[in-house]
Amino acid sequence: MSRRWYILQTYAGYENKIERSIRTLLDTSALDSNIVTDVRVPVEEVVEVKDGKKKTRTNKFLPGYIMLEMDLPEFGWKPTCTQLRRLQGVNGFVGTDPNVRPIPISNDEAMNLLQKSGVIKGDKQVHVKQSYNVGDNVKITEGPFATFSGTVKEIFMDREKLTVEVQIFGRPTPVEVSFGQAEKQ
């Protein structure tokens, strides 16, 4: 047997409640801690700039899903899975019927999700909530061009960057900044 990650589908908004319920079952030994070894709600950090203030919050990037690390035995898996499915707010395991042994996600998928949520050290992704449009007037708040104002010329969603045209020495100059380094005026 080996530990693998499984995805448990829940009602949206119940993820943290179900995570606490599973941890309580593990603490009270009502659920075998040798089988269920870890429970995670995948979240990411989102930075939002509003009224000149940066606000950081956590955001569930898989709403309605929980990650479970389990060492699920080949035989005798059903009591554990049934106990998890019977928790209030749980729909079941992703991709399987209640009478079928759950299918784990691949190691690459699990590592990607865990890295994105910052559980595994690596490139923790912090997303900036974007509310810019081409033509918006913005003020650059950080970096070498801090305090410059300009107009948004291009938006690169995949890289979370803006090209802002600012006046330097009386000439329009394009400057590339990240979403978090600019705010709307």
Side-chain angles (χ1 to χ4, degrees):
M1 292 188 288
S2 65
R3 292 181 182 177
R4 301 289 305 266
W5 286 95
Y6 297 81
I7 305 293
L8 191 64
Q9 186 177 10
T10 67
Y11 297 161
Y14 279 62
E15 301 90 350
N16 293 332
K17 179 182 176 187
I18 293 170
E19 179 189 21
R20 284 190 306 271
S21 297
I22 293 172
R23 290 193 188 282
T24 301
L25 289 172
L26 290 169
D27 291 343
T28 60
S29 298
L31 192 61
D32 190 355
S33 60
N34 293 325
I35 295 176
V36 179
T37 56
D38 199 1
V39 183
R40 299 281 176 182
V41 176
V43 294
E44 64 185 347
E45 276 187 33
V46 176
V47 176
E48 186 173 6
V49 179
K50 203 173 202 178
D51 299 329
K53 298 177 184 173
K54 282 188 179 180
K55 296 180 183 176
T56 304
R57 61 182 169 87
T58 56
N59 195 22
K60 295 177 184 112
F61 62 86
L62 288 176
Y65 297 96
I66 293 178
M67 295 178 65
L68 290 172
E69 185 180 36
M70 297 193 299
D71 191 1
L72 205 58
E74 195 66 39
F75 300 103
W77 58 267
K78 200 163 190 167
T80 303
C81 292
T82 302
Q83 188 175 10
L84 291 168
R85 281 190 192 101
R86 287 188 178 163
L87 290 173
Q88 185 178 356
V90 173
N91 292 333
F93 286 92
V94 172
T96 58
D97 292 327
N99 297 332
V100 179
R101 187 173 188 267
I103 301 169
I105 60 175
S106 71
N107 287 335
D108 291 338
E109 288 174 316
M111 291 305 129
N112 184 24
L113 290 172
L114 293 170
Q115 197 171 41
K116 189 174 180 181
S117 62
V119 174
I120 295 177
K121 296 206 185 297
D123 298 334
K124 184 176 180 183
Q125 299 174 356
V126 177
H127 292 282
V128 178
K129 186 174 179 185
Q130 187 273 120
S131 60
Y132 302 106
N133 295 311
V134 173
D136 285 349
N137 289 325
V138 296
K139 180 180 178 184
I140 300 173
T141 58
E142 293 179 13
F145 299 101
T147 70
F148 279 78
S149 294
T151 307
V152 176
K153 293 298 178 185
E154 286 184 271
I155 301 171
F156 302 102
M157 294 297 290
D158 55 336
R159 298 184 325 203
E160 295 186 354
K161 301 251 183 202
L162 300 170
T163 299
V164 179
E165 190 173 88
V166 297
Q167 294 288 326
I168 300 178
F169 301 119
R171 296 183 179 202
T173 307
V175 176
E176 192 171 281
V177 296
S178 69
F179 288 169
Q181 292 178 317
E183 65 180 47
K184 274 188 173 182
Q185 287 185 321

